[in-house]
C-alpha cells in the first residue's frame, strides 16, 4: 500500500548560501538529486550539513540561492507545505502522546480541521482511515505491539522506529534524516543501517540523509555529497569517492583507517602531496624478501599492530613523516612481524593519488 | 532515592530537623482545628489543652456559616482565583514560548524587562492601579479583583525556564507535521510543561485565594468579598472574641486549598514521571 511505483521527489539545490551575521555556514551549494535517489550529505560536525537539510525542510531560510522539489520552487513555503518528512537525531517524539497518537499526528493535522481536533470529533470515516494507515505503517516497521505505549517506555531503537513511522505515514516525496542513528549503540546502528536502506528500496522515495559517519554514508547511499567548511567538496558514488577523490580533504575524511599522506618527493613524484590507501601498501620484512623496485619502497619501523581479526593494520613509523603510515596485512602473514621490526612498505604507483599544495587532486 | 549512606547519628539528626520543621509549620493549623472544635468556655480556660474536653464544634461551624454568607465568599474566591489562573496561563504560555524558543529582535531586552518586573512588589503599584480602576469605573467588580494579576511575570519567567529545556527538535518536528505556532504552544509545549504548570498553579491559587491586601482596596460591596475578607468580616460582625466560630471559618476557608493541593500533588508527581523528554 505504501509502495510507490512512480518515483517523485527530485530535489534541486541551486547556489544555496546561508549566513548567520558574519559567519558563512553554507556557500554556493549546487546539488541535483534524482527522484528516488538516496543521497547522503557527509561532513565533519559544524560543516553546515544540518543547516542544509533544515533549509530543504523549510525550518531555516536561505540567504541566497534556491531549493526546488519536482520543479516547484520552495521559497517561502512552510515545512508542511513541502510534502517532506523529517527524522531527527533525538527522535523528537511527543512525550505526552502514545506511539499510535504520535504516528497519527501528521495525518490528523492534514485531514482534520482545528475545530475537529480541539473537540476530538473526527468523522468516523476519517478516524478509520487514519487508524488503518497507522496500523499499516506500524506493521511495516514491526512496532504494532508498541502502539499503546508512551515514548518514555521505549528503548532508543524503538523510538527510532516510531520516528520513522511518523515520517512514513504521510507518504512524503522526500525523507530528510538528520543523523538518525547517532544516538543508538554500535550494534543497533549497523542493524538500522540495513533497515533504512531496505526501507528506501521499498518506498522508492527520495532520501536525503545527513551524517558525520562515513561508514553510514558509504554503506547506504547511491551518492554521497561531502561538505566541508560550508562548501561542497565532491558528489559521487561511495565507490568513486573512495577510489577517486577530488581533494585531499575528501580522501582523508573517507576510509578507515585514514589514508596515508606523504610528500611527493618521498616516492620520487612531482606532486606536492601524495596519498596511498592502507590496503595499497605492502609490508615486507627487511632482509627476508627482496625489496621491490628502488624509489617505490618506504623504509620504517613497526610501532603498533592493530589486529581486527579479518584485517591486520601495521603502524609504521617513517623518519621525516609526521604520522605513522598504516599498511593492511593478512593477519596470518602478519604473525611474522614484531614491534620494533624494520619493514619496507612497497607502493604500487598505479594506486598513488597525487595532490597539489592546495590539496587539489592532480589527475594524470 | 539518594545513594548516599548516612551514619545512624546523621539519620536520627535528619529526622529530628525535619520533625521540628513539621511541628513548627503544622502546629498553628492543629491549634486552629482543635480550637474550632472547642466550646467557648474551654477556649478561655486558664489551662491549655490541645484536645477538646467537650464538643463545641457543631455550634462553632454553624455560627461561622450562618452569621456571614461564608459559602458565598468561598464561591467568590473560587471564581476569582480560577479566572486569574486561567488568564495567567493564557498570557504566560505564548509569552514564555516566544521568549524561550523564538528568535526575534529585542528578545533579550524583553526578557530583561520581565526580570526587572519580578523585582517590583505589587503593593508598590497598588495605588496607581486603584486610581486607574477608579477612573475607568471598574472598582468594586469581579474584574477589579482579577485584572491586576492576569499578567504574571513570575509565571512567564517560570514557564520560560522550563521551555528552555524542551528540545528544539521537538518543535521542529511539530512544524514539519504541520502545526502552527499557537498549536505548538497548546498542543506540544503545554502538555510537556504540565509539572511546571501545576507548580505555578499551586503558587498562583494559594497566593490569590489568601490575598487580603488587594481585595480590601478594590472591593467594598459585601457580595464581592473573598474568603479572607469574610473571616475579617466575621470578626468585626461577631463579638470579636468568638474564637471558636472564627477558627471554624478559617478551617472552612483553607479546606478547598488543602484538597486542591493534595489532588495537584499527585498529578504533579505523575507529570514528572511521564515527561520522557530525554533520549
Amino acid at each position: 500500500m505504501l509502495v510507490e511505483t512512480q518515483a517523485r521527489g527530485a530535489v534541486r539545490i541551486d547556489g544555496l548560501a546561508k549566513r548567520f551575521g558574519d559567519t558563512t555556514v553554507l556557500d554556493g551549494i549546487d546539488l541535483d538529486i534524482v527522484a528516488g535517489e538516496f543521497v547522503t550529505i557527509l561532513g565533519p560536525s559544524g560543516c553546515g550539513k544540518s543547516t542544509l537539510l533544515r533549509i530543504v525542510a523549510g525550518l531555516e531560510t536561505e540567504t541566497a540561492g534556491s531549493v526546488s522539489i519536482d520543479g516547484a520552487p520552495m521559497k517561502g513555503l512552510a515545512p508542511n507545505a513541502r510534502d517532506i518528512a523529517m527524522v531527527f537525531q533525538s527522535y523528537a517524539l511527543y512525550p505526552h502522546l502514545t506511539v499510535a497518537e504520535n504516528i497519527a499526528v501528521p495525518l490528523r493535522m492534514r485531514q482534520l480541521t482545528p475545530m475537529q481536533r480541539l473537540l476530538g470529533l473526527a468523522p468516523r470515516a476519517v478516524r478509520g482511515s487514519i487508524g488503518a494507515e497507522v496500523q499499516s505503517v506500524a506493521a511495516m516497521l514491526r512496532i504494532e505491539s508498541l502502539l499503546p505505549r508512551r515514548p518514555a517506555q521505549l528503548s532508543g531503537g524503538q523510538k527510532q522506529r516510531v520516528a520513522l513511522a511518523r515520517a512514513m505515514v504521510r507518504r512524503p516525496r522526500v525523507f530528510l534524516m538528520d543523523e538518525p542513528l547517532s544516538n543508538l549503540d554500535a550494534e543497533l546502528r549497523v542493524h538500522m543501517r540495513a533497515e533504512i536502506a531496505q526501507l528506501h528500496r521499498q518506498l522508492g522515495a527520495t532520501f536525503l540523509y545527513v551524517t558525520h559517519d562515513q561508514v553510514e554514508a558509504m554503506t547506504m547511499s547511491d551518492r554521497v555529497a561531502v561538505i566541508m567548511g560550508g562548501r561542497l567538496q565532491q558528489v559521487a558514488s561511495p565507490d568513486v569517492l573512495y577510489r577517486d577523490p577530488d581533494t585531499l580533504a575528501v580522501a582523508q575524511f573517507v576510509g578507515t583507517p585514514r589514508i596515508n599522506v606523504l610528500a611527493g618527493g618521498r616516492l620520487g613524484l612531482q606532486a606536492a602531496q601524495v596519498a596511498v590507501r592502507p590496503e595499497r601498501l605492502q609490508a615486507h620484512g627487511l632482509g627476508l624478501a627482496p625489496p621491490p623496485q628502488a624509489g617505490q619502497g618506504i623504509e620504517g619501523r613497526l610501532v603498533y599492530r592493530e589486529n581486527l581479526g579479518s584485517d591486520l593494520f601495521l603502524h609504521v613509523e617513517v623518519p621525516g613523516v609526521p604520522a605513522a603510515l598504516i599498511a593492511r596485512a593478512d593477519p596470518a602473514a602478519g604473525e611474522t612481524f614484531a614491534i620494533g621490526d624494520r619493514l619496507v612498505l612497497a607502493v604500487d604507483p598505479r594506486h598513488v593519488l597525487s595532490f597539489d599544495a592546495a590539496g587539489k587532486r592532480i589527475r594524470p | 532515592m539518594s545513594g548516599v549512606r548516612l551514619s545512624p547519628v546523621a539519620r536520627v539528626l535528619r529526622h529530628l530537623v525535619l520533625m521540628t520543621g513539621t511541628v513548627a509549620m503544622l502546629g498553628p493549623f492543629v491549634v486552629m482545628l482543635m480550637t474550632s472544635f472547642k466550646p467557648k468556655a474551654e477556649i478561655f480556660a486558664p489551662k491549655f489543652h490541645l484536645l477538646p474536653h467537650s464538643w463545641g464544634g457543631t455550634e462553632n461551624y454553624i455560627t461561622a456559616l450562618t452569621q456571614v454568607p461564608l459559602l458565598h465568599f468561598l464561591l467568590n474566591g473560587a471564581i476569582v482565583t480560577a479566572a486569574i489562573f486561567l488568564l495567567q496561563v493564557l498570557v504566560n504560555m505564548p509569552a514564555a514560548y516566544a521568549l524561550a524558543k523564538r528568535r526575534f529582535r529585542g528578545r533579550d531586552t524583553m526578557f530583561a524587562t520581565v526580570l526587572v518586573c519580578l523585582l517590583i512588589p505589587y503593593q508598590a503599584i497598588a495605588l496607581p492601579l486603584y486610581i486607574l480602576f477608579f477612573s475607568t469605573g471598574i472598582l468594586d467588580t469581579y474584574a477589579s479583583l482579577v485584572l491586576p494579576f492576569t499578567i504574571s511575570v513570575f509565571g512567564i519567567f517560570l514557564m520560560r525556564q522550563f521551555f528552555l529545556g524542551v528540545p528544539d527538535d521537538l518543535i521542529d518536528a511539530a512544524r514539519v507535521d504541520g502545526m502552527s505556532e499557537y498549536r505548538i504552544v497548546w498542543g506540544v509545549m503545554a502538555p510537556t510543561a504540565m509539572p511546571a504548570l501545576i507548580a505555578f498553579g499551586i503558587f498562583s491559587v494559594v497566593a490569590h485565594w489568601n490575598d487580603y491586601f488587594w481585595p480590601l482596596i478594590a472591593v467594598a460591596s459585601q457580595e464581592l468579598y473573598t474568603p479572607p475578607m469574610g473571616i475579617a468580616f466575621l470578626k468585626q460582625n461577631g463579638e470579636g472574641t468568638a474564637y471558636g466560630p472564627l477558627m471554624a471559618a478559617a478551617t472552612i476557608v483553607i479546606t478547598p486549598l488543602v484538597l486542591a493541593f493534595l489532588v495537584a500533588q499527585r498529578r504533579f508527581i505523575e507529570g514528572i514521571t511521564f515527561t520522557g523528554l530525554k533520549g
Side-chain angles (χ1 to χ4, degrees):
Chain A
M1 187 172 167
L2 278 159
V3 180
E4 302 275 346
T5 42
Q6 199 190 350
R8 56 195 187 119
V11 180
R12 190 185 172 86
I13 299 168
D14 231 344
L16 200 72
K18 177 69 182 177
R19 277 182 285 279
F20 290 109
D22 291 337
T23 7
T24 302
V25 181
L26 290 170
D27 192 13
I29 305 283
D30 294 302
L31 187 57
D32 243 324
I33 299 162
V34 182
E37 199 176 14
F38 194 132
V39 171
T40 300
I41 302 170
L42 176 68
S45 51
C47 73
K49 55 189 190 299
S50 286
T51 309
L52 176 58
L53 198 72
R54 291 170 57 81
I55 291 174
V56 175
L59 292 168
E60 204 91 62
T61 47
E62 58 272 25
T63 312
S66 67
V67 176
S68 55
I69 299 179
D70 289 332
M74 291 290 120
K75 194 165 183 61
L77 281 187
N80 61 314
R82 297 187 175 206
D83 201 9
I84 49 116
M86 193 154 169
V87 178
F88 296 86
Q89 181 178 350
S90 61
Y91 321 127
L93 302 178
Y94 306 113
H96 58 291
L97 301 180
T98 64
V99 168
E101 288 165 342
N102 260 285
I103 299 173
V105 165
L107 298 179
R108 287 174 58 86
M109 293 307 299
R110 273 191 172 187
Q111 298 174 11
L112 299 179
T113 64
M115 217 27 147
Q116 287 172 332
R117 287 197 306 268
L118 194 68
L119 302 175
L121 296 171
R124 186 176 289 272
V126 177
R127 190 182 307 198
S129 83
I130 289 178
E133 299 262 8
V134 169
Q135 278 296 335
S136 101
V137 170
M140 209 165 153
L141 288 165
R142 296 186 303 282
I143 52 171
E144 294 119 305
S145 61
L146 306 179
L147 287 176
R149 295 208 209 158
R150 278 176 199 272
Q153 299 163 293
L154 304 181
S155 71
Q158 290 170 329
K159 283 184 198 168
Q160 187 59 76
R161 276 162 201 273
V162 176
L164 278 172
R166 187 177 59 179
M168 279 163 55
V169 79
R170 56 191 300 184
R171 301 189 216 175
R173 290 185 286 190
V174 184
F175 282 87
L176 305 173
M177 306 205 176
D178 190 3
E179 310 235 9
L181 304 185
S182 45
N183 279 359
L184 301 178
D185 62 53
E187 202 180 328
L188 201 56
R189 200 148 54 203
V190 174
H191 178 77
M192 286 304 287
R193 229 153 60 195
E195 204 153 319
I196 289 178
Q198 195 192 343
L199 213 57
H200 170 247
R201 278 194 301 276
Q202 262 177 298
L203 297 174
T206 308
F207 276 45
L208 195 52
Y209 186 104
V210 160
T211 182
H212 66 274
D213 182 346
Q214 47 116 355
V215 180
E216 279 176 27
M218 301 300 270
T219 50
M220 297 163 76
S221 5
D222 297 320
R223 282 193 302 158
V224 180
V226 183
I227 293 189
M228 282 172 178
R231 287 175 167 279
L232 203 55
Q233 301 281 326
Q234 188 171 4
V235 186
S237 70
D239 189 43
V240 170
L241 207 62
Y242 186 81
R243 274 191 298 105
D244 198 12
D246 281 345
T247 65
L248 184 58
V250 171
Q252 284 181 302
F253 194 71
V254 172
T256 17
R258 251 169 170 241
I259 198 164
N260 299 300
V261 182
L262 294 157
R266 301 277 322 190
L267 297 177
L269 293 169
Q270 295 290 311
Q273 306 171 86
V274 294
V276 193
R277 293 277 175 206
E279 65 271 23
R280 301 299 183 191
L281 282 179
Q282 263 207 310
H284 299 277
L286 199 62
L288 288 174
Q293 311 97 298
Q296 300 299 352
I298 308 161
E299 231 183 274
R301 207 166 54 86
L302 183 64
V303 288
Y304 179 56
R305 302 168 77 238
E306 194 180 6
N307 195 345
L308 301 181
S310 59
D311 287 313
L312 174 69
F313 292 105
L314 304 170
H315 295 234
V316 179
E317 205 175 68
V318 177
V321 178
L325 299 185
I326 301 171
R328 192 177 74 184
D330 186 348
E335 290 282 301
T336 52
F337 301 125
I339 306 270
D341 277 3
R342 296 190 62 74
L343 303 178
V344 170
L345 301 174
V347 187
D348 185 337
R350 283 173 304 171
H351 297 300
V352 174
L353 308 171
S354 305
F355 299 92
D356 66 16
K360 268 220 147 325
R361 178 77 183 279
I362 305 167
R363 290 196 166 85
Chain B
M1 288 274 283
S2 68
V4 188
R5 274 186 179 277
L6 292 170
S7 69
V9 181
R11 280 215 296 264
V12 169
L13 211 66
R14 182 169 66 174
H15 279 94
L16 221 61
V17 168
L18 289 175
M19 276 160 71
T20 314
T22 313
V23 168
M25 278 183 246
L26 228 50
F29 284 94
V30 174
V31 172
M32 172 188 77
L33 195 64
M34 289 306 146
T35 309
S36 78
F37 294 150
K38 290 176 188 171
K40 195 172 178 184
E42 203 176 311
I43 294 170
F44 287 103
K47 202 156 183 293
F48 177 77
H49 304 279
L50 189 60
L51 295 175
H53 287 184
S54 53
W55 180 254
T58 320
E59 196 200 328
N60 287 341
Y61 280 85
I62 287 173
T63 313
L65 286 169
T66 51
Q67 198 154 37
V68 296
L70 197 59
L71 288 178
H72 182 74
F73 298 157
L74 288 181
L75 183 69
N76 279 346
I79 291 171
V80 169
T81 37
I84 289 175
F85 180 61
L86 220 69
L87 289 171
Q88 278 177 336
V89 171
L90 225 54
V91 175
N92 278 351
M93 301 292 282
Y97 172 70
L99 287 172
K101 290 296 178 187
R102 301 278 305 174
R103 272 179 287 168
F104 58 92
R105 203 181 293 266
R107 182 181 74 169
D108 294 343
T109 319
M110 268 190 194
F111 184 58
T113 316
V114 168
L115 289 181
V116 168
C117 289
L118 267 178
L119 302 175
I120 304 174
Y122 92 94
Q123 285 82 357
I125 57 166
L127 207 57
L129 266 178
Y130 179 81
I131 295 166
L132 177 74
F133 282 13
F134 174 74
S135 53
T136 46
I138 59 165
L139 274 179
D140 205 18
T141 60
Y142 278 122
S144 69
L145 288 172
V146 172
L147 284 182
F149 307 106
T150 46
I151 299 174
S152 163
V153 181
F154 170 69
I156 294 174
F157 175 71
L158 187 82
M159 297 317 293
R160 184 248 181 197
Q161 295 309 101
F162 192 89
F163 284 174
L164 282 182
V166 176
D168 289 339
D169 277 0
L170 190 65
I171 295 162
D172 284 339
R175 288 189 184 129
V176 171
D177 284 344
M179 291 192 196
S180 67
E181 295 298 294
Y182 277 102
R183 172 79 192 157
I184 290 173
V185 170
W186 300 113
V188 178
M189 301 304 269
T192 311
M194 220 21 119
L197 206 56
I198 288 170
F200 172 66
I202 290 172
F203 284 123
S204 167
V205 168
V206 169
H208 296 113
W209 182 267
N210 289 337
D211 191 19
Y212 183 55
F213 178 78
W214 179 251
L216 200 60
I217 295 174
V219 161
S221 357
Q222 212 196 94
E223 300 84 73
L224 293 173
Y225 275 17
T226 56
M229 292 177 84
I231 296 177
F233 183 54
L234 179 68
K235 188 161 185 267
Q236 291 157 14
N237 216 23
E239 299 128 83
T241 49
Y243 288 121
L246 217 50
M247 291 302 115
T251 307
I252 292 168
V253 165
I254 67 153
T255 305
L257 271 193
V258 172
L259 288 179
F261 181 76
L262 288 179
V263 171
Q265 192 190 32
R266 215 173 39 212
R267 287 274 302 142
F268 187 70
I269 294 161
E270 230 171 61
I272 289 172
T273 37
F274 266 123
T275 38
L277 277 181
K278 290 213 188 91

